[in-house]
Amino acid sequence: MTAWGVEYDEAGDIAYIYYCDNNFAEQDPNGAVIIRQQIVYAVDDYGKECTYLQQLKPEDPDTRVGKFLITSVFSADLGRDIWKSKYPNVVVEK
């Protein structure tokens, strides 16, 4: 999964995340489009504070909505030094 952006709440915490899951591109009828889902902070059954990715509620209020525990988040190096050595004439805008 690759996160593309977030929305913050009034307290400055992440409230929603925009992400793409390329692993399911061929199986997903949406073709791995960017998805917006809610971030929920809750205490689990053992009293531990946890962060969940919460599916947004569909139009039907009786439909069950899943949530998924976020176990880790990390960033990946863009490898700009490698790209710059391979394509020195390409200027990266910041």
Side-chain angles (χ1 to χ4, degrees):
M1 294 173 61
T2 303
W4 290 98
V6 296
E7 291 178 43
Y8 296 95
D9 62 15
E10 301 82 26
D13 295 324
I14 295 175
Y16 295 92
I17 186 171
Y18 293 85
Y19 73 91
C20 181
D21 191 346
N22 306 42
N23 293 331
F24 298 107
E26 294 178 7
Q27 301 155 351
D28 186 349
N30 293 324
V33 298
I34 292 181
I35 300 165
R36 176 181 183 252
Q37 289 194 338
Q38 187 174 14
I39 298 296
V40 175
Y41 306 95
V43 176
D44 69 8
D45 295 338
Y46 303 100
K48 181 179 175 185
E49 292 183 22
C50 296
T51 304
Y52 296 93
L53 181 70
Q54 174 79 50
Q55 294 176 340
L56 296 177
K57 294 180 181 176
E59 296 297 322
D60 180 4
D62 294 326
T63 302
R64 295 184 64 110
V65 179
K67 68 179 180 180
F68 307 94
L69 179 65
I70 297 174
T71 58
S72 63
V73 176
F74 64 93
S75 63
D77 182 6
L78 297 176
R80 289 186 172 165
D81 55 335
I82 297 169
W83 287 101
K84 187 174 183 176
S85 66
K86 179 73 174 171
Y87 303 102
N89 295 330
V90 175
V91 177
V92 178
E93 294 182 19
K94 293 183 180 185

